[in-house]
Coordinates of all heavy atoms in Angstrom, one line a residue:
P1 N -1.4 -15.9 5.7 CA -0.2 -15.3 5.0 C 0.7 -14.5 5.9 O 0.2 -13.9 6.9 CB -0.9 -14.4 4.0 CG -2.2 -14.1 4.5 CD -2.6 -15.3 5.3
K2 N 1.9 -14.5 5.7 CA 2.9 -13.6 6.3 C 2.7 -12.2 5.8 O 2.0 -12.0 4.7 CB 4.3 -14.1 6.1 CG 4.6 -15.4 6.7 CD 6.0 -15.9 6.4 CE 6.2 -17.3 7.0 NZ 7.4 -17.9 6.5
S3 N 3.2 -11.2 6.5 CA 2.9 -9.8 6.1 C 3.4 -9.5 4.7 O 2.7 -8.8 3.9 CB 3.5 -8.8 7.1 OG 4.9 -9.0 7.1
G4 N 4.5 -10.1 4.2 CA 5.0 -9.8 2.9 C 4.1 -10.4 1.8 O 3.8 -9.8 0.8
E5 N 3.5 -11.6 2.1 CA 2.6 -12.2 1.2 C 1.3 -11.5 1.1 O 0.7 -11.3 0.1 CB 2.4 -13.7 1.5 CG 3.7 -14.5 1.3 CD 3.8 -15.7 2.2 OE1 3.0 -15.8 3.2 OE2 4.5 -16.6 1.8
L6 N 0.8 -11.1 2.3 CA -0.4 -10.3 2.4 C -0.3 -9.0 1.6 O -1.1 -8.6 0.9 CB -0.8 -10.0 3.8 CG -2.1 -9.3 4.1 CD1 -3.3 -10.1 3.6 CD2 -2.3 -8.9 5.6
S7 N 0.9 -8.4 1.7 CA 1.2 -7.1 1.0 C 1.2 -7.3 -0.5 O 0.6 -6.6 -1.2 CB 2.6 -6.6 1.5 OG 2.9 -5.5 0.7
R8 N 1.8 -8.4 -0.9 CA 1.8 -8.7 -2.4 C 0.4 -9.0 -2.9 O 0.1 -8.5 -4.0 CB 2.7 -9.9 -2.7 CG 4.2 -9.6 -2.6 CD 5.0 -10.7 -3.3 NE 4.8 -12.0 -2.8 CZ 5.6 -12.7 -2.1 NH1 6.7 -12.2 -1.6 NH2 5.3 -14.0 -1.7
L9 N -0.4 -9.7 -2.1 CA -1.8 -9.9 -2.6 C -2.6 -8.6 -2.6 O -3.3 -8.4 -3.6 CB -2.5 -10.9 -1.6 CG -2.0 -12.4 -1.7 CD1 -2.5 -13.2 -0.5 CD2 -2.3 -13.0 -3.0
A10 N -2.4 -7.8 -1.6 CA -3.2 -6.5 -1.6 C -2.7 -5.6 -2.7 O -3.5 -5.0 -3.4 CB -2.9 -5.8 -0.2
D11 N -1.4 -5.6 -3.0 CA -0.9 -4.7 -4.1 C -1.4 -5.3 -5.4 O -1.8 -4.5 -6.3 CB 0.6 -4.8 -4.1 CG 1.3 -3.9 -3.0 OD1 0.5 -3.1 -2.3 OD2 2.5 -4.1 -2.8
F12 N -1.4 -6.6 -5.6 CA -1.9 -7.1 -6.8 C -3.4 -6.8 -7.1 O -3.7 -6.4 -8.2 CB -1.7 -8.7 -6.8 CG -2.3 -9.3 -8.1 CD1 -1.6 -9.2 -9.3 CD2 -3.5 -9.9 -8.1 CE1 -2.1 -9.8 -10.4 CE2 -4.1 -10.4 -9.2 CZ -3.4 -10.4 -10.4
F13 N -4.2 -6.9 -6.1 CA -5.6 -6.6 -6.2 C -5.9 -5.2 -6.2 O -7.1 -4.7 -6.4 CB -6.4 -7.4 -5.2 CG -6.5 -8.9 -5.4 CD1 -6.1 -9.8 -4.4 CD2 -7.1 -9.4 -6.6 CE1 -6.2 -11.1 -4.6 CE2 -7.2 -10.8 -6.8 CZ -6.7 -11.6 -5.8
G14 N -5.0 -4.3 -5.8 CA -5.2 -2.9 -5.7 C -6.0 -2.5 -4.5 O -6.8 -1.5 -4.5
V15 N -5.9 -3.2 -3.4 CA -6.7 -2.9 -2.2 C -5.7 -2.8 -1.0 O -4.5 -3.1 -1.2 CB -7.7 -4.0 -1.8 CG1 -8.7 -4.2 -2.9 CG2 -7.0 -5.4 -1.6
S16 N -6.1 -2.3 0.1 CA -5.2 -2.1 1.2 C -5.1 -3.5 1.9 O -6.0 -4.3 1.9 CB -5.8 -1.1 2.2 OG -7.0 -1.5 2.8
M17 N -4.0 -3.6 2.7 CA -3.8 -4.8 3.5 C -4.9 -4.9 4.5 O -5.4 -6.0 4.9 CB -2.4 -4.8 4.1 CG -1.3 -5.1 3.1 SD 0.4 -4.9 3.8 CE 0.3 -6.0 5.2
D18 N -5.3 -3.7 5.1 CA -6.3 -3.7 6.1 C -7.6 -4.2 5.6 O -8.4 -4.9 6.3 CB -6.4 -2.3 6.7 CG -5.3 -1.9 7.7 OD1 -4.6 -2.9 8.2 OD2 -5.2 -0.8 8.0
Y19 N -7.9 -3.8 4.4 CA -9.2 -4.3 3.8 C -9.1 -5.8 3.6 O -10.1 -6.5 4.0 CB -9.5 -3.6 2.4 CG -10.6 -4.2 1.7 CD1 -11.9 -3.9 2.1 CD2 -10.4 -5.1 0.7 CE1 -13.0 -4.5 1.4 CE2 -11.5 -5.8 0.1 CZ -12.8 -5.4 0.4 OH -13.9 -6.0 -0.2
L20 N -8.1 -6.3 3.0 CA -7.9 -7.7 2.7 C -8.0 -8.5 4.0 O -8.6 -9.6 4.0 CB -6.6 -8.0 2.0 CG -6.5 -9.3 1.3 CD1 -7.6 -9.5 0.3 CD2 -5.2 -9.4 0.5
W21 N -7.5 -8.0 5.1 CA -7.4 -8.7 6.3 C -8.7 -8.5 7.2 O -8.9 -9.2 8.1 CB -6.2 -8.4 7.1 CG -5.9 -9.4 8.2 CD1 -6.0 -9.2 9.6 CD2 -5.6 -10.7 8.1 NE1 -5.7 -10.3 10.3 CE2 -5.4 -11.3 9.4 CE3 -5.3 -11.6 7.0 CZ2 -5.1 -12.6 9.6 CZ3 -5.0 -12.9 7.2 CH2 -4.8 -13.4 8.5
G22 N -9.5 -7.5 6.8 CA -10.8 -7.3 7.5 C -10.7 -6.3 8.6 O -11.6 -6.1 9.3
R23 N -9.7 -5.5 8.6 CA -9.5 -4.4 9.6 C -10.2 -3.1 9.1 O -10.2 -2.2 9.9 CB -8.1 -4.2 9.9 CG -7.4 -5.4 10.6 CD -6.0 -5.1 11.0 NE -6.1 -4.0 12.0 CZ -5.0 -3.3 12.3 NH1 -3.9 -3.5 11.7 NH2 -5.1 -2.3 13.1
S24 N -10.5 -3.0 7.8 CA -11.1 -1.8 7.3 C -12.1 -2.2 6.2 O -12.0 -3.2 5.6 CB -10.0 -1.0 6.7 OG -10.5 0.1 5.9
E25 N -13.1 -1.4 6.0 CA -14.1 -1.5 4.9 C -13.6 -0.8 3.7 O -14.2 -1.0 2.6 CB -15.4 -1.1 5.4 CG -16.1 -1.9 6.5 CD -16.1 -3.4 6.1 OE1 -16.7 -3.7 5.1 OE2 -15.7 -4.2 7.0
S26 N -12.6 0.0 3.8 CA -12.1 0.8 2.7 C -11.1 0.0 1.9 O -10.1 -0.5 2.4 CB -11.4 2.1 3.1 OG -10.8 2.7 2.1
Q27 N -11.4 -0.2 0.6 CA -10.5 -1.0 -0.3 C -9.3 -0.2 -0.7 O -8.3 -0.7 -1.1 CB -11.2 -1.4 -1.5 CG -12.3 -2.5 -1.3 CD -12.8 -3.0 -2.6 OE1 -12.3 -2.8 -3.6 NE2 -13.9 -3.7 -2.5
T28 N -9.4 1.1 -0.6 CA -8.3 2.0 -1.1 C -7.0 1.9 -0.3 O -7.1 2.1 0.9 CB -8.8 3.5 -1.1 OG1 -10.0 3.5 -1.8 CG2 -7.8 4.4 -1.8
P29 N -5.9 1.6 -1.0 CA -4.6 1.6 -0.3 C -4.3 3.0 0.2 O -4.7 4.0 -0.4 CB -3.6 1.1 -1.3 CG -4.4 0.5 -2.4 CD -5.8 1.2 -2.4
C30 N -3.5 3.1 1.3 CA -3.1 4.4 1.8 C -2.2 5.0 0.7 O -1.3 4.3 0.1 CB -2.3 4.2 3.1 SG -3.4 3.7 4.4
Q31 N -2.3 6.3 0.5 CA -1.4 7.0 -0.4 C -0.7 8.0 0.5 O -1.2 8.5 1.5 CB -2.3 7.7 -1.4 CG -3.1 6.8 -2.3 CD -2.2 5.9 -3.2 OE1 -1.1 6.3 -3.6 NE2 -2.6 4.7 -3.3
S32 N 0.5 8.3 0.1 CA 1.3 9.4 0.7 C 0.5 10.7 0.7 O 0.1 11.1 -0.4 CB 2.7 9.5 0.1 OG 3.4 10.6 0.6
S33 N 0.4 11.3 1.8 CA -0.3 12.6 1.8 C 0.6 13.8 1.3 O 0.0 14.8 1.0 CB -0.8 12.9 3.3 OG 0.3 13.0 4.1
V34 N 1.9 13.5 1.2 CA 2.7 14.6 0.7 C 3.5 14.1 -0.5 O 4.4 13.2 -0.4 CB 3.8 15.0 1.8 CG1 4.7 16.1 1.3 CG2 3.1 15.4 3.1
P35 N 3.1 14.5 -1.7 CA 3.8 14.1 -2.9 C 5.2 14.6 -2.9 O 5.5 15.6 -2.4 CB 3.0 14.7 -4.0 CG 2.2 15.7 -3.4 CD 2.0 15.5 -2.0
V36 N 6.1 13.7 -3.5 CA 7.5 14.1 -3.5 C 7.8 14.5 -5.0 O 7.5 13.7 -5.9 CB 8.4 12.9 -3.1 CG1 9.9 13.2 -3.2 CG2 8.0 12.5 -1.7
S37 N 8.4 15.6 -5.1 CA 8.7 16.1 -6.5 C 9.9 15.4 -7.1 O 10.7 14.8 -6.3 CB 9.0 17.6 -6.5 OG 10.2 17.8 -5.8
S38 N 10.0 15.4 -8.4 CA 11.2 14.7 -9.0 C 12.5 15.3 -8.6 O 13.5 14.6 -8.5 CB 11.0 14.7 -10.5 OG 11.0 16.0 -11.0
S39 N 12.5 16.6 -8.4 CA 13.8 17.2 -7.9 C 14.2 16.8 -6.5 O 15.3 16.6 -6.2 CB 13.7 18.8 -8.0 OG 12.8 19.2 -7.1
E40 N 13.1 16.5 -5.7 CA 13.4 16.0 -4.4 C 13.9 14.6 -4.4 O 14.9 14.2 -3.7 CB 12.2 16.1 -3.5 CG 12.5 15.7 -2.0 CD 11.4 16.0 -1.1 OE1 10.4 16.6 -1.5 OE2 11.4 15.5 0.1
W41 N 13.4 13.8 -5.3 CA 13.9 12.4 -5.5 C 15.3 12.4 -6.0 O 16.1 11.6 -5.6 CB 13.0 11.7 -6.6 CG 11.7 11.1 -6.0 CD1 10.5 11.5 -6.3 CD2 11.6 10.1 -4.9 NE1 9.6 10.8 -5.5 CE2 10.3 9.9 -4.7 CE3 12.6 9.4 -4.2 CZ2 9.8 9.0 -3.7 CZ3 12.1 8.5 -3.3 CH2 10.7 8.3 -3.0
Q42 N 15.6 13.4 -6.9 CA 17.0 13.5 -7.4 C 17.9 13.9 -6.2 O 19.0 13.3 -6.1 CB 17.1 14.5 -8.5 CG 16.5 14.1 -9.8 CD 16.4 15.2 -10.9 OE1 16.5 16.3 -10.6 NE2 16.2 14.7 -12.1
D43 N 17.5 14.8 -5.4 CA 18.3 15.2 -4.2 C 18.5 14.0 -3.3 O 19.6 13.8 -2.8 CB 17.7 16.3 -3.5 CG 17.6 17.7 -4.2 OD1 18.4 17.8 -5.2 OD2 16.9 18.6 -3.8
R44 N 17.5 13.2 -3.1 CA 17.6 12.1 -2.2 C 18.5 11.0 -2.8 O 19.3 10.4 -2.1 CB 16.2 11.4 -2.0 CG 15.3 12.2 -1.1 CD 14.0 11.5 -1.0 NE 13.0 12.3 -0.2 CZ 11.8 11.9 0.2 NH1 11.4 10.7 -0.2 NH2 11.0 12.7 0.9

């Protein structure tokens, strides 16, 4: 798969691309370490 297709598959299954491709044993997709507030989204 190309990266876009690998990404769609990983997103669909709820796993990380690294897990799906075998680069990680962790199934958990990376999450942003800094949450963005709704007011910051409005400012953006």
Side-chain angles (χ1 to χ4, degrees):
K2 296 177 183 167
S3 62
E5 293 157 338
L6 183 64
S7 175
R8 285 197 307 253
L9 291 168
D11 287 347
F12 176 78
F13 288 122
V15 298
S16 70
M17 287 173 57
D18 282 344
Y19 172 79
L20 196 55
W21 196 248
R23 294 186 62 202
S24 170
E25 294 304 311
S26 172
Q27 290 188 15
T28 308
C30 294
Q31 300 294 324
S32 174
S33 59
V34 181
V36 179
S37 68
S38 62
S39 64
E40 187 173 348
W41 280 116
Q42 288 173 342
D43 291 343
R44 289 179 183 185

